[in-house]
């Protein structure tokens, strides 16, 4: 089966900066497996996720996602690829507050015919597929038609995870999705998210500065402190 990710000689530098924000010699993530990315604030964790999702392109090197040379494709193709193959859980969830819970969860299938068809291959309707995800993430049916803004932060987080998993994306990307949760809820969320990715065969790339979360993952990548701090540490 295709690798979920493969990175060779990657460097990324924001315009106007003297140092690379990020450099990774080599990384390979088999299909369906999970990677924990950790590092201090400013080490480039969110930048890496944006590179993996094809929002940014590397300054040097190659990123392959599902054996596609994503980093070498034009912007429109990368946008299409992201909608079709990647479920993204944002730190602030990015749920649409004026839509209901279930409409939020169905959104990826409205933006991608491929994910729409995949959702329908495992359920009678999009609503049934979304309901299945929500049930697995412990969001009771009594909440499905409510506006998402009426839910607690922990509930919204699980709705964001349900949305990312709609239409069986091969890669799920999560940017510090546990930062607003207490420890009990973190454990529960991690159990459910990693369990769901395994059950659906989705690879998972998960960012956090909390090293205690590493135990849920197959592989770990630690990013260095930003370049000026590295210099301070040496002198
Ligand atoms: N839009 C941008 N334009 C220019 N430089 C940026 C931009 N976004 C980030 N950077 C630079 O890239 C570095 C890495 O930022 P990034 O957001 O990837 O860090 P992070 O590891 O996700 O930090 P945090 O844990 O605080 O979220 C920052 O220190 C900043 O200097
Ligand atoms: Mg970040």
């Amino acid at each position: 089966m295709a690798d979920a990710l493969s990175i060779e000689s990657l460097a990324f530098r924001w315009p106007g900066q003297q140092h690379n924000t990020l450099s990774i010699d080599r990384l390979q993530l088999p299909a369906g497996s999970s990677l924990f990315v950790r590092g201090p604030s400013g080490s480039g964790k969110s930048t890496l996720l944006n590179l993996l999702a094809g929002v940014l392109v590397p300054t040097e090197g190659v990123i392959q996602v599902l054996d596609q040379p994503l980093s070498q494709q034009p912007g429109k193709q990368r946008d299409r690829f992201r909608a079709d193959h990647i479920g993204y859980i944002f730190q602030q969830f990015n749920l649409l507050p004026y839509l209901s819970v279930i409409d939020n969860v169905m959104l990826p299938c409205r933006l991608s015919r491929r994910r729409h068809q995949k959702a329908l291959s495992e359920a009678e309707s999009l609503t049934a597929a979304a309901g299945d995800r929500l049930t697995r993430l412990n969001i009771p049916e009594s909440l499905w038609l409510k506006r998402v803004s009426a839910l607690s932060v922990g509930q919204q987080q699980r709705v964001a995870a349900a949305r990312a998993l709609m239409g069986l994306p091969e890669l799920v990307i999560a940017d510090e999705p546990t930062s607003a949760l207490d420890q009990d809820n973190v454990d529960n969320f991690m159990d459910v998210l990693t369990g769901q990715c395994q059950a659906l065969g989705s690879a998972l790339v998960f960012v956090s500065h909390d090293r205690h979360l590493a135990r849920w993952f197959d592989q770990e990548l630690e990013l260095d402190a930003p370049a000026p701090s590295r210099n301070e540490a040496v002198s």
Side-chain angles (χ1 to χ4, degrees), residues 218-229:
D218 301 320
Q219 279 187 51
E220 189 173 344
L221 171 70
E222 183 169 1
L223 299 180
D224 294 331
S229 318

Side-chain angles (χ1 to χ4, degrees), residues 14 17 21 39-48 91 175-176 209 226:
W14 284 102
Q17 289 210 345
T21 307
S41 183
S43 59
K45 303 185 296 297
S46 296
T47 302
L48 174 62
Q91 186 168 7
D175 196 353
E176 304 222 31
H209 57 265

Side-chain angles (χ1 to χ4, degrees), residues 13-91:
R13 183 183 308 191
W14 284 102
Q17 289 210 345
Q18 291 183 333
H19 303 274
N20 283 337
T21 307
L22 196 63
S23 48
I24 299 173
D25 285 343
R26 200 177 142 67
L27 177 82
Q28 200 170 8
L29 184 69
S33 62
S34 62
L35 173 71
F36 181 58
V37 181
R38 99 183 143 83
S41 183
S43 59
K45 303 185 296 297
S46 296
T47 302
L48 174 62
L49 296 189
N50 280 305
L51 285 160
L52 299 182
V55 176
L56 296 172
V57 289
T59 312
E60 290 166 31
V62 178
I63 298 177
Q64 299 218 79
V65 182
L66 311 173
D67 286 352
Q68 296 274 325
L70 188 65
S71 56
Q72 288 158 352
Q73 293 173 348
K76 265 202 168 152
Q77 210 171 324
R78 296 197 309 269
D79 292 345
R80 184 75 262 146
F81 185 86
R82 185 182 323 118
D84 284 344
H85 299 283
I86 298 179
Y88 210 115
I89 309 174
F90 297 89
Q91 186 168 7

Side-chain angles (χ1 to χ4, degrees), residues 190-205:
M190 293 306 298
D191 266 345
V192 173
L193 178 65
T194 54
Q196 277 293 288
C197 284
Q198 262 174 24
L200 302 174
S202 303
L204 173 63
V205 176

Side-chain angles (χ1 to χ4, degrees), residues 157-158 161 177-178 181 185-193 206:
Q157 192 154 50
R158 281 177 279 141
T178 55
L181 295 184
N185 277 314
V186 168
D187 289 348
N188 180 266
F189 181 81
M190 293 306 298
D191 266 345
V192 173
L193 178 65
F206 183 105

